[in-house]
């Protein structure tokens, strides 16, 4: 499917299997214990620690992640082969990437590795040694609760030592255009919350009104909310800045959903100028319903119908290939 696939589509599909929580105005994967609550803690212990984690996240805008590593994973981490693990747990939420405390530890001997977000790293690095000592090599599964509880208490204490301005900066980071776009893509990909995505994109537009990607995505967000005029305005501006395939698809979808058949033909021709396998792309979207970064329910439905039209027309013209994709 080429251009339809966002870079992190597979990771995002994986994230869909987990519960979601509200964090810094973003609905995202529920982060907390990783596998710990399933393998090391009783349900009562996990719930008590969960409450503590939720309070820290609320008070300081941070994400707390505990991940227990099996021996092979621990060896990979020691050898520097699990560099993508933080991204696996944190996803692409820029706020989580900025302000997090991640404790990875070996199930075998309790050895731990602590990582921080780029915004809170300076605040926490001086205390890394003390945090390490709280999770000692004497760790064993039956006693997992106590070291984790001590760690959470100390993490909260470190945040408490920060002045009010520093706390506020961590809670309310000033995001870049790229980060607002990233949040919007996460909403469109993972949660389908197009209203929240619209808010993120509007903030990106306020920072840079000439960013074609922002306006293209804004067009899709409005399209999914059936705000046709706003979608048309966003696509028109995006097209004037960068006449690309994704924006052409957005225009095509918009006019199709508005039943503007004459304009549909015009934009269908423009989309075909960008790709020699337009029919194949329509077929893929129609038959493989995994959402992608700029295609939501409305676009998916329109493409399914367009594909069926393509098949019917091919059959009426006696083209043998029309039976290839029933």
């Amino acid at each position: 499917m080429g251009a339809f696939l966002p870079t992190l589509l597979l990771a995002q599909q994986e994230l869909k299997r987990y519960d979601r929580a509200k964090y810094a105005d973003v609905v995202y994967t529920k982060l907390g214990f990783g596998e710990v609550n399933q393998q090391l803690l009783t349900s009562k212990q996990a719930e008590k620690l969960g409450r503590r984690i939720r309070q820290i996240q609320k008070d300081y805008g941070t994400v707390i992640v505990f991940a227990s590593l099996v021996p092979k994973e621990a060896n990979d981490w020691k050898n520097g082969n699990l560099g993508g693990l933080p991204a696996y747990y944190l996803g692409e939420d820029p706020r989580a990437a900025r302000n997090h405390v991640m404790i990875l530890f070996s199930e075998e001997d309790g050895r731990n590795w602590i990582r921080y977000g780029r915004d809170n790293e300076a605040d926490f690095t001086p205390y890394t040694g003390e945090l390490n000592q709280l999770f000692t090599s004497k760790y064993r599964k039956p006693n997992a609760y106590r070291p984790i509880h001590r760690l959470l208490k100390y993490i909260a204490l470190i945040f408490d030592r920060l002045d009010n301005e520093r706390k506020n900066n961590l809670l309310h980071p000033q995001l870049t255009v790229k980060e607002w776009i990233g949040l919007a893509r996460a909403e469109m990909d993972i949660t389908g919350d197009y209203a929240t995505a619209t808010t993120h994109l509007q903030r990106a537009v306020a920072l840079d009104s000439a960013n074609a990607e922002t306006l293209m995505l804004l067009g899709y967000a409005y399209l999914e909310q059936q705000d046709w005029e706003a979608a048309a305005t966003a696509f028109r501006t995006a097209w004037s800045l960068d006449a690309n395939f994704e924006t052409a698809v957005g225009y095509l979808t918009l006019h199709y959903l508005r039943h503007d058949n004459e304009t549909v033909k015009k934009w269908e021709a423009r989309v075909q100028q960008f790709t020699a396998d337009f029919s194949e792309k329509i077929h893929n979207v129609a038959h493989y319903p995994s959402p992608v970064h700029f295609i939501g329910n409305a676009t998916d439905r329109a493409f399914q119908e367009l594909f069926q039209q393509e098949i019917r027309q091919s059959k009426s013209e006696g083209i043998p290939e029309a039976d290839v994709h029933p």
Side-chain angles (χ1 to χ4, degrees), residues 33 37 41-51 145:
F33 298 116
N37 55 336
L41 304 172
T42 68
S43 58
K44 185 175 181 180
Q45 289 173 333
E47 179 52 36
K48 286 182 68 175
L49 293 174
R51 288 197 297 270
Y145 174 82

Side-chain angles (χ1 to χ4, degrees), residues 3 48 171 191 233 254 258-259 309:
K48 286 182 68 175
L171 271 170
T191 69
T233 299
L254 171 64
R258 297 180 77 174
H259 308 292
Q309 285 184 13

Side-chain angles (χ1 to χ4, degrees), residues 74-208:
N75 287 332
D76 284 341
W77 181 260
K78 292 174 190 175
N79 296 328
N81 298 328
L82 285 181
L85 207 57
Y88 173 81
Y89 285 103
L90 297 173
E92 284 300 292
D93 181 343
R95 304 182 202 207
R98 283 179 163 200
N99 184 14
H100 70 266
V101 179
M102 172 177 285
I103 297 95
L104 306 172
F105 56 93
S106 166
E107 291 183 1
E108 196 170 47
D109 58 13
R111 181 180 176 185
N112 60 102
W113 302 269
I114 301 177
R115 296 290 182 271
Y116 313 111
R118 66 179 184 272
D119 282 6
N120 67 352
E121 184 173 9
D123 302 321
F124 273 79
T125 299
Y127 303 97
T128 300
E130 295 161 81
L131 288 168
N132 272 315
Q133 289 175 9
L134 290 171
F135 214 72
T136 67
S137 60
K138 296 179 181 179
Y139 158 89
R140 289 294 181 269
K141 288 185 181 181
N143 298 320
Y145 174 82
R146 289 184 179 179
I148 293 176
H149 184 268
R150 287 198 296 268
L151 274 171
L152 290 174
K153 187 175 181 179
Y154 201 74
I155 287 169
L157 179 62
I158 294 170
F159 276 116
D160 282 339
R161 291 172 179 169
L162 304 179
D163 60 48
N164 290 333
E165 182 180 3
R166 187 76 190 96
K167 290 178 185 177
N168 187 61
N169 289 339
L170 288 172
L171 271 170
H172 307 287
Q174 297 298 311
L175 301 188
T176 64
V177 170
K178 182 178 179 181
E179 288 173 324
W180 281 121
I181 290 174
L183 285 176
R185 286 186 181 277
E187 296 294 357
M188 297 171 79
D189 282 346
I190 300 172
T191 69
D193 186 347
Y194 292 95
T196 300
T198 298
T199 300
H200 296 331
L201 292 167
Q202 287 170 336
R203 289 174 176 171
V205 169
L207 292 173
D208 182 2

